[in-house]
Amino acid sequence: MEDRVSHAGEKSILAIDLGTSAVKLAVVSVRGRILGGSSERLDLSLLPDGGAEQDPEAWWRAIIAGTRKLFASGTVRAEDIIGVNCSSQWSGTVAVDAAGKPLCPALIWMDSRGAAEVKRVASGFIPIEGYGIRRLLTWIRLSGGAPSLSGKDPVGHILYLQSAQPDVYRNTYKFLEPKDWLNLRLSGRFAASYDSITLHWVTDNRELSRVTYDERLLELTGLEREKLPDLVPAATVLGPLQPEAARALGLREDVQVVTGAPDILAAAVGSGAVRDNEPHLCVGTSSWLSCHVPYKKTDIFHQMASVPSALQGRYLLANEQESAGICLTFLKDNILYGRDTKPGEAEEDDSAEVYKLMERQAGSVPAGSDRLIFMPWLNGERSPVDDKALRGGFFNQSLKTTRAHMVRAVMEGVAYNSRWLFTYVEQFVGRRLDSLRIIGGGARSALWCQIHADVLGRTIQQVDEPVLANARGAAFQAAVALGQLTVDEIPALVPIARTYEPDPKNRVLYDELFREFVNLYKANKAIFARLNRARSA
């Protein structure tokens, strides 16, 4: 009852965080206090031809179920909600008709079926890393980057649908990012924000006050302007909830819908690292290492660029590593504790207890996992190399290798991958970054935080309630848009739960193992290409 009384009347935001494995709902005060939360699992379909799909209507059903559960808990009140805002998985595509109904499953950020089409439109005279030089320079000059040759950007998804599913393409009224489809369900508006549209690579991002579609880029990619949504600035109020959405969620119709932001951009805000050159590391299903920067810049060779941020008039250094927490989940479900375990052993269970068991096992193994190295490229890689043919695996396994070694090696392999990316992030910003805020599901693990501190050789600041960083960022963005908060106030509103310093005893060992980790990529990339490229092209 105390919670109900203390929260009553506190202006709040319903923050919707659409991830790959779950949708998380949180009610967050306009000052960033998490008042209550819930989560609903989502299904993912991985297809043998490189496809990765989800049902958009299942997203919406999960949001309704989670919101009703949240309000039924009694810890928060629907009448205190003044705004709804979404953060979501980025680089996805929902093809909808004029009524907003999906015409096929959503192609999400893991879907690489458009690779051949992207390579076709990107190639040209004097090739550089697979791009024709004139095309590449045009993309970089105007948009800050270029379509990923992996086909995992929306431009790849759309070109794939155009080629492989022409009926869907022909009947599509608009192609929407996941966040923008959710906003359509909430507000009734077909719109994209300056930040969410970036990975279509058809906008001129040189002037952040007026991002527009560019005819030259539309012609380069072959995308049709009329099939793309109108653009609005980041952190824009789209309008009130549609009556149908208000009834489904149990909210008033005057609750305002804000544009929201892709997960990477929302997390940057929710981490509290909103000043220029303040980095945050996310260890979720995937991983990224990002910071706001005061300029437009591109590192095409390592798949990094500063793109429009979730905050108006700001750039964010964006990158992504395909597999992080999903590696630990894969190990748990498919190797250690799957459905086929013997009686008496742990069965498939997504509860926190299984991960706590795995963390205890990993903690019993010395740093370096007795030189067992895990390569975390289970679904290829984006940054710092764009190579969808890469795959994961354990290296240097012996008869003495135990499941505890394997768990720790996975945690260390993800950290080696973060360090690989971090090397180029520091080059991008031109300075040493002494500390990083860490968020995401992996940040709940004290051991994983310490491993990252030791492997990176940097101070790691564990953000309080790190899994809800995206939701907190969505709430902050909405509070700014609704005039309830200023950006300068945000850092002080994000508490640090614990700080981890690098252990000097592990420095030499981890430096050596990191070098061998990169050598494993160099020595095996051609083998991965031969084994996987034809099958995933």
Side-chain angles (χ1 to χ4, degrees):
M1 184 63 68
E2 285 183 2
D3 278 343
R4 298 189 189 193
V5 173
S6 63
H7 296 169
E10 191 165 4
K11 290 182 179 180
S12 305
I13 307 297
L14 174 62
I16 299 170
D17 176 20
L18 175 67
T20 305
S21 58
V23 59
K24 304 179 187 72
L25 289 303
V27 172
V28 188
S29 78
V30 295
R31 304 295 293 177
R33 191 157 74 98
I34 307 293
L35 305 180
S38 66
S39 178
E40 298 289 326
R41 290 194 58 185
L42 297 171
D43 292 327
L44 169 66
S45 298
L46 296 177
L47 309 178
D49 57 355
E53 298 180 342
Q54 289 186 312
D55 178 7
E57 295 292 354
W59 297 340
W60 183 243
R61 289 192 297 270
I63 289 168
I64 293 172
T67 302
R68 289 177 175 173
K69 184 187 301 182
L70 186 54
F71 292 139
S73 70
T75 58
V76 295
R77 305 193 317 167
E79 53 264 42
D80 293 334
I81 305 296
I82 64 170
V84 178
N85 205 28
C86 301
S87 70
S88 78
Q89 50 175 283
W90 200 7
S91 195
T93 301
V94 185
V96 301
D97 62 18
K101 180 181 178 180
L103 298 174
C104 64
L107 284 66
I108 70 165
W109 57 275
M110 301 167 68
D111 197 301
S112 62
R113 288 176 290 181
E117 278 69 31
V118 174
K119 290 174 183 176
R120 174 179 54 80
V121 301
S123 62
F125 182 65
I126 310 181
I128 297 179
E129 298 289 319
Y131 300 88
I133 187 168
R134 292 185 63 181
R135 294 170 179 260
L136 180 62
L137 292 177
T138 300
W139 265 311
I140 291 176
R141 181 172 63 87
L142 298 175
S143 69
S148 169
L149 297 179
S150 68
K152 295 176 181 178
D153 293 341
V155 58
H157 300 160
I158 295 171
L159 292 175
Y160 164 77
L161 291 174
Q162 186 181 49
S163 172
Q165 300 184 41
D167 288 344
V168 169
Y169 182 86
R170 183 173 56 255
N171 294 326
T172 295
Y173 174 64
K174 299 292 181 184
F175 292 104
L176 301 174
E177 274 276 355
K179 166 188 84 68
D180 300 322
W181 182 78
L182 292 180
N183 284 338
L184 173 63
R185 293 300 300 261
L186 292 166
S187 71
R189 289 187 61 181
F190 291 90
S193 49
Y194 292 172
D195 49 355
S196 66
I197 200 66
T198 300
L199 297 187
H200 288 68
W201 303 114
V202 290
T203 52
D204 184 341
N205 300 328
R206 292 175 295 177
E207 178 51 62
L208 287 177
S209 64
R210 188 175 176 273
V211 173
T212 58
Y213 290 113
D214 186 273
E215 290 297 331
R216 291 159 292 184
L217 297 179
L218 288 166
E219 184 178 352
L220 274 181
T221 57
L223 301 191
E224 298 179 71
R225 167 62 186 93
E226 58 269 23
K227 290 185 179 292
L228 299 175
D230 291 340
L231 301 179
V232 297
T236 293
V237 177
L238 292 174
L241 283 169
Q242 289 194 101
E244 180 183 354
R247 287 193 298 271
L249 299 174
L251 295 173
R252 302 186 317 275
E253 292 184 15
D254 65 344
V255 170
Q256 299 297 303
V257 180
V258 180
T259 48
D263 49 11
I264 296 176
L265 310 184
V269 179
S271 73
V274 296
R275 303 183 186 96
D276 286 339
N277 302 310
E278 287 186 344
H280 80 273
L281 168 65
C282 178
V283 182
T285 301
S286 59
S287 181
W288 60 78
L289 209 163
S290 184
C291 62
H292 286 88
V293 292
Y295 43 71
K296 177 179 170 291
K297 181 180 176 180
T298 301
D299 179 354
I300 190 64
F301 298 108
H302 301 106
Q303 289 294 303
M304 295 191 292
S306 47
V307 299
S309 162
L311 302 173
Q312 289 193 19
R314 302 285 299 282
Y315 286 110
L316 185 80
L317 167 57
N319 49 59
E320 185 168 22
Q321 297 189 315
E322 284 281 310
S323 303
I326 200 171
C327 297
L328 208 58
T329 302
F330 181 89
L331 180 69
K332 173 179 73 71
D333 291 345
N334 296 286
I335 299 177
L336 300 185
Y337 303 114
R339 291 186 178 91
D340 57 350
T341 52
K342 296 177 181 178
E345 293 184 1
E347 296 180 353
E348 186 175 19
D349 186 352
D350 287 327
S351 73
E353 293 305 313
V354 177
Y355 288 107
K356 288 179 182 177
L357 169 63
M358 295 172 72
E359 184 174 20
R360 289 195 299 272
Q361 292 172 331
S364 70
V365 174
S369 304
D370 288 332
R371 298 180 184 272
L372 176 68
I373 297 177
F374 175 73
M375 297 169 287
W377 311 305
L378 298 183
N379 194 49
E381 192 51 285
R382 284 187 184 233
S383 301
V385 294
D386 185 16
D387 190 342
K388 68 188 183 74
L390 292 185
R391 291 296 181 267
F394 292 95
F395 183 81
N396 205 33
Q397 192 171 342
S398 76
L399 291 174
K400 295 181 180 180
T401 298
T402 66
R403 66 173 65 186
H405 285 93
M406 297 175 78
V407 175
R408 185 177 185 109
V410 167
M411 299 172 85
E412 289 174 334
V414 170
Y416 296 146
N417 217 35
S418 296
R419 176 169 168 175
W420 196 21
L421 178 59
F422 186 56
T423 301
Y424 297 106
V425 168
E426 286 194 322
Q427 289 183 15
F428 191 101
V429 300
R431 66 182 67 194
R432 177 185 168 95
L433 303 173
D434 291 316
S435 67
L436 302 88
R437 294 191 176 207
I438 189 169
I439 59 173
R444 292 178 296 189
S445 165
L447 177 61
W448 219 346
C449 289
Q450 187 61 56
I451 287 172
H452 275 92
D454 292 349
V455 170
L456 270 66
R458 299 290 191 273
T459 299
I460 295 293
Q461 296 178 315
Q462 181 189 42
V463 170
D464 189 43
E465 299 190 81
V467 176
L468 295 177
N470 287 11
R472 183 188 278 124
F476 282 150
Q477 188 201 43
V480 170
L482 294 170
Q484 300 290 322
L485 186 70
T486 67
V487 174
D488 291 339
E489 294 176 282
I490 292 175
L493 298 176
V494 182
I496 300 299
R498 184 175 171 186
T499 298
Y500 298 82
E501 298 292 345
D503 187 340
K505 298 194 302 291
N506 296 328
R507 178 176 179 179
V508 172
L509 173 63
Y510 277 135
D511 283 352
E512 176 192 353
L513 293 176
F514 170 68
R515 286 193 297 270
E516 298 301 352
F517 175 86
V518 177
N519 286 336
L520 282 171
Y521 160 72
K522 294 176 179 177
N524 291 290
K525 61 180 180 179
I527 298 175
F528 286 129
R530 290 194 295 272
L531 290 175
N532 302 311
R533 186 159 292 158
R535 191 171 50 177
S536 58

